[in-house]
Amino acid sequence: MLVGGLLGVMAFLLVYGVVPLNPANDTWLLNGFAEVDTIQEYAGWMLFRDSPWAWPLGIGSNLNYPSGACVCFTGNVTLFAIFFKALSPLLGETFQYVGLYNLLSFVLQGVSAGLLLSLFIDKLLYLHIGTLLFVFAPIMIERAFRHSPLGSHWLILFSLFLYFNNRRSQHRLQWQFGLLGCLAVVIHPYFVPMVFAIWFADLVDQIIQ
């Protein structure tokens, strides 16, 4: 897990460098990275940040004004948007978490890939080479900084790890599936059917056994 996380950090830094990790720097978002989805994501975060708190959490009145809308529909990570909105008084006028979230995704991609592959590979060298393929996966790089929440492929990898682990072990991991389902909801609904499909397959497998 540790090596997988470090490989994720290495992959991120080699591809994107350290500039996106400065929360107070948004010039690369607005000027140096011409991607419509990313600019929309950032604009949605700024509008949500300046909206008054509403229930359910994640609704911003400045989005789809005056009716309001969920910040997830702007391509944002709902969990991060709510968390940093709560800290907004402590943050500078300019604040972006796109770089931080993408770094976290690469770290968790490496950790989840290492766990999943460890069920099938015994030799550490081959395990690390396999993990490298996951952290440098073209689809992972294509999603990051284009539609950040959709780069959360680690949700699927962790789900697959739980599924194959449960098939091999007497001690079945179940509440972890519930946690992944909750994370999928507050990261992006796109992953909800995938996580729950794997969880359902695990439950069917358990019933058959």
Side-chain angles (χ1 to χ4, degrees):
M1 292 175 63
L2 176 61
V3 173
L6 291 175
L7 290 175
V9 173
M10 179 192 72
F12 179 91
L13 294 177
L14 284 175
V15 177
Y16 303 107
V18 297
V19 172
L21 298 179
N22 181 3
N25 179 10
D26 63 358
T27 55
W28 61 276
L29 270 171
L30 302 175
N31 301 320
F33 193 90
E35 174 52 57
V36 175
D37 284 349
T38 307
I39 295 175
Q40 172 188 286
E41 179 181 340
Y42 185 44
W45 150 244
M46 290 190 291
L47 289 168
F48 176 71
R49 180 184 181 181
D50 290 336
S51 298
W53 285 102
W55 184 261
L57 296 176
I59 298 295
S61 59
N62 289 344
L63 301 168
N64 190 36
Y65 184 84
S67 302
C70 181
V71 69
C72 68
F73 294 129
T74 65
N76 273 272
V77 179
T78 309
L79 179 63
F80 268 49
I82 293 173
F83 176 77
F84 286 114
K85 178 179 173 65
L87 297 179
S88 187
L90 305 177
L91 307 176
E93 182 178 353
T94 300
F95 184 87
Q96 58 83 20
Y97 56 78
V98 181
L100 297 175
Y101 184 77
N102 278 283
L103 173 62
L104 178 64
S105 287
F106 271 83
V107 170
L108 292 177
Q109 178 86 346
V111 172
S112 58
L115 281 173
L116 176 60
L117 293 175
S118 68
L119 297 176
F120 306 96
I121 302 174
D122 294 327
K123 293 185 178 181
L124 284 178
L125 176 62
Y126 298 155
L127 177 60
H128 298 158
I129 292 174
T131 303
L132 275 174
L133 295 178
F134 277 91
V135 295
F136 281 106
I139 189 62
M140 178 76 180
I141 296 173
E142 193 274 341
R143 289 285 88 183
F145 295 106
R146 183 161 182 260
H147 203 312
S148 299
L150 299 189
S152 308
H153 301 156
W154 49 270
L155 288 167
I156 303 172
L157 297 183
F158 274 124
S159 298
L160 290 172
F161 164 73
L162 293 177
Y163 173 77
F164 287 110
N165 178 81
N166 287 350
R167 294 200 67 176
R168 294 165 171 236
S169 173
Q170 295 290 335
H171 178 62
R172 303 183 70 88
L173 305 174
Q174 289 298 339
W175 66 266
Q176 291 88 342
F177 268 118
L179 176 60
L180 286 175
C182 292
L183 285 174
V185 169
V186 295
I187 289 175
H188 201 288
Y190 178 83
F191 291 101
V192 172
M194 303 182 198
V195 172
F196 276 82
I198 299 172
W199 190 5
F200 180 73
D202 179 75
L203 295 174
V204 171
D205 202 44
Q206 186 174 355
I207 292 172
I208 294 174
Q209 289 182 19

